[in-house]
Amino acid sequence: MAAAWVLTVVLSGLPMIVLAAVAGRPPASLSVWVLLGVIPLVAVAWIWPPSRPLRSYSVVMLAAFCVGYVLQPVLAASLRGAGPVLIQLLVSRTVVVLLALVLAASLVKGLGLTRHQAFVAPGDLTARTRLRWPGTQRRVSWAVVATSAALVIFALVAAAGSPASGLGATPLRDVLPWTPVILACAAFNAFGEEVIYRSGPLATVVGVVGPTQAVLLTSLWFGLAHYVGSVPDGLGGVVASGGLALLLGRAMLATRGVAWPWLVHVAIDTAVFVSIALATV
């Protein structure tokens, strides 16, 4: 459905990226203006009969936009200078987790979806992929794919973050006392993003456009969200994060749950928050 693509693109980071290039301003400073501009589009999706199947999706994507592009910058600004950077991040990620729980409850209680339909259950951790072991008919499990992906991407993100963060220049002993906070930040951020940016959108659009387009839509949105402030950023951040989203979206649909996407995401975010700790502790 073309309307789903229009809605996804308009509620993504693309309008802010384009406006920022034209106006010469940081994309984050334009989020409120973009939000005001897209509200009429969401209203049309709610009222126009052909777009009514996208009602729930439009509300979820509007919420994702508000969390990612409005709330998080506000939280970051309000917490700036209020103690160590890792504590600021832990507070902001706790808020996002609470919002994710509200969304999960809304999907189950409000829309009447089961926890598996809403992709907020752990899912089938032994589900199989379409890949087959060489020389056999046995299909590779998502446990193997997810674990391998987590290890490889963790190493890549840690390596990518090292020049900017000074990874290796600061003694690890200075960071070790912060390990519980780092792990909490990674777990909270991964859960919040998986539920708000993946479970909710997939649950509300897969029945409208089918699994392939649903994964592509959410991957495009997730990739564009990493144009600024990620490692790497720019076009590389869009491609890398979008590619990751394709993997995690497929895992979520195949296992009917959030566990494997969350665990892979935790591994990646652990590398990110270690880099932040080494740069700020």
Side-chain angles (χ1 to χ4, degrees):
M1 180 181 284
W5 284 95
V6 172
L7 192 64
T8 302
V9 170
V10 172
L11 282 169
S12 73
L14 185 60
M16 285 178 292
I17 294 169
V18 174
L19 287 174
V22 173
R25 296 171 57 186
S29 67
L30 301 166
S31 59
V32 174
W33 295 106
V34 173
L35 178 62
L36 292 174
V38 301
I39 286 177
L41 179 62
V42 175
V44 170
W46 190 265
I47 298 171
W48 192 39
S51 296
R52 285 180 182 172
L54 294 171
R55 281 181 171 181
S56 297
Y57 181 65
S58 66
V59 173
V60 168
M61 292 309 295
L62 183 61
F65 181 92
C66 289
V67 171
Y69 294 107
V70 180
L71 176 63
Q72 296 220 53
V74 169
L75 282 174
S78 62
L79 291 170
R80 190 171 294 119
V85 171
L86 284 175
I87 298 300
Q88 297 175 36
L89 291 171
L90 180 60
V91 171
S92 65
R93 270 51 186 179
T94 301
V95 172
V96 173
V97 164
L98 294 175
L99 293 173
L101 292 174
V102 170
L103 175 59
S106 299
L107 293 171
V108 175
K109 299 295 184 181
L111 297 182
L113 302 176
T114 66
R115 291 170 62 238
H116 288 283
Q117 289 172 331
F119 303 111
V120 294
D124 180 6
L125 300 183
T126 63
R128 300 284 172 172
T129 69
R130 295 180 180 179
L131 301 174
R132 297 186 184 277
W133 290 105
T136 73
Q137 293 300 311
R138 292 179 58 235
R139 291 185 296 167
V140 181
S141 72
W142 274 104
V144 172
V145 172
T147 302
S148 301
L151 293 173
V152 171
I153 302 174
F154 173 88
L156 291 174
V157 172
S162 59
S165 65
L167 186 60
T170 302
L172 282 174
R173 64 175 178 272
D174 294 342
V175 173
L176 287 177
W178 290 93
T179 299
V181 177
I182 291 170
L183 294 177
C185 285
F188 287 6
N189 187 70
F191 180 80
E193 290 194 359
E194 286 304 316
V195 172
I196 297 174
Y197 303 152
R198 205 168 337 273
S199 296
L202 281 177
T204 51
V205 80
V206 69
V208 181
V209 302
T212 300
Q213 286 198 62
V215 171
L216 290 173
L217 284 166
T218 54
S219 299
L220 174 65
W221 193 97
F222 194 78
L224 289 169
H226 290 78
Y227 183 82
V228 176
S230 68
V231 179
D233 59 5
L235 183 59
V238 174
V239 173
S241 297
L244 172 65
L246 287 173
L247 173 68
L248 300 185
R250 289 302 306 167
M252 186 170 282
L253 287 179
T255 62
R256 306 296 294 176
V258 72
W260 280 128
W262 175 71
L263 288 168
V264 173
H265 205 145
V266 168
I268 298 166
D269 281 353
T270 298
V272 172
F273 285 106
V274 167
S275 297
I276 293 172
L278 288 167
T280 60
V281 169

